[in-house]
Amino acid sequence: MEAFIFSLIAAIATMVGGLLVIYNYDWAHNNQNYLAAFASGTLVSLSFIEIIPESMEMGGLGGLFVIIGFILLYLFEQVFSPSRCTDDECTVKSVTLLAWGGLLLHSFIDGVAIVASFQVSRILGLMVALGVILHEFPEGLTSGSLLTLLRYPKKKIFFFIFLVAIATPAGAILSILSIGFFNPSAILPFLSSVLGLAAGTFIYVAVADLLPHSHRVKNIKVTLIFLSGVILIIAGHFLKGN
């Protein structure tokens, strides 16, 4: 139940990020680079310090699934996503429903990752949930910004963001229902694979989506915010006694 609650919080974070763009575009646009820097710092450090080591300790194919998760999101963005914006002047000409396949997949995996992490330990579950929540908020900002720039009506923007948001608790529910069907000898390799997949997607989102946004602002504040995200996870790692 705790894992499901956090998946709902992650969904709410996505919706809040999207709604801020819809109803307060100036604030969201002015601060999204800083939010992206903080989220990227937490995701990279969380993946390498917590998730990947836990996955490897379980045996299985956790290391392989790190690469699979990374490549999977890369392929989705290459095939289905619209051209990336690298500056404020670029214009994305068209967006189709397929463009949201990658976002939906990633949000769904986030829900699975939260549940899988809580199966390992409550501390890991809380840290993974934190990482998910932190990057779901700027993901909502990014999604809403793209649709707003395309001049989609507010109802349509809300609908697309809702689909991405609800995918996280949907993934959590499916995982909760599925875990009961695994026998004890199969659960650890399964969790190892899911955690590896989550780490791969976290790393990709951090280095391919969030860091490029933060690089658009060249000042010490962005660097400090990025490092604060890293320090947060490192501090949590040592405080929990591992």
Side-chain angles (χ1 to χ4, degrees):
M1 179 59 70
E2 191 173 21
F4 177 68
I5 291 173
F6 278 107
S7 73
L8 287 178
I9 295 174
I12 293 170
T14 302
M15 291 301 303
V16 170
L19 290 174
L20 275 174
V21 174
I22 297 174
Y23 296 105
N24 195 353
Y25 179 78
D26 289 339
W27 180 91
H29 183 74
N30 292 334
N31 291 279
Q32 64 178 338
N33 298 311
Y34 301 115
L35 293 167
F38 182 75
S40 61
T42 60
L43 289 182
V44 170
S45 54
L46 179 64
S47 297
F48 285 107
I49 294 173
E50 294 290 341
I51 303 178
I52 294 177
E54 289 283 358
S55 176
M56 298 298 287
E57 285 180 9
M58 295 177 192
L61 300 174
L64 175 62
F65 274 86
V66 174
I67 303 300
I68 291 175
F70 189 96
I71 293 175
L72 198 58
L73 276 193
Y74 169 79
L75 292 177
F76 261 96
E77 291 206 348
Q78 286 293 104
V79 175
F80 296 127
S81 293
S83 300
R84 288 185 181 280
C85 290
T86 56
D87 55 61
D88 291 332
E89 303 300 325
C90 71
T91 302
V92 181
K93 295 183 178 180
S94 64
V95 174
T96 66
L97 289 175
L98 287 177
W100 295 97
L103 286 174
L104 288 171
L105 173 65
H106 177 249
S107 294
F108 182 85
I109 292 173
D110 282 342
V112 175
I114 292 174
V115 173
S117 301
F118 272 100
Q119 292 295 312
V120 178
S121 71
R122 186 171 185 271
I123 294 297
L124 181 63
L126 291 172
M127 296 191 74
V128 170
L130 174 64
V132 169
I133 292 168
L134 285 173
H135 84 264
E136 288 294 348
F137 180 69
E139 182 175 278
L141 289 174
T142 302
S143 302
S145 297
L146 177 60
L147 294 168
T148 300
L149 289 172
L150 290 170
R151 299 182 180 179
Y152 277 6
K154 291 182 178 180
K155 288 184 178 180
K156 192 170 185 178
I157 296 174
F158 181 89
F159 175 71
F160 277 115
I161 294 173
F162 175 77
L163 288 180
V164 174
I166 204 67
T168 303
I173 291 173
L174 183 62
S175 296
I176 291 171
L177 296 176
S178 299
I179 283 176
F181 292 99
F182 287 92
N183 59 52
S185 62
I187 192 69
L188 286 181
F190 168 75
L191 293 177
S192 173
S193 299
V194 172
L195 290 176
L197 196 68
T201 61
F202 280 14
I203 294 169
Y204 182 86
V205 168
V207 302
D209 293 327
L210 298 177
L211 280 178
H213 275 289
S214 66
H215 286 162
R216 293 164 65 180
V217 176
K218 303 293 184 182
N219 61 42
I220 189 63
K221 184 177 179 180
V222 172
T223 302
L224 292 176
I225 289 174
F226 171 81
L227 292 176
S228 69
V230 175
I231 292 170
L232 175 68
I233 300 301
I234 294 175
H237 175 78
F238 285 105
L239 285 174
K240 73 185 182 70
N242 290 334

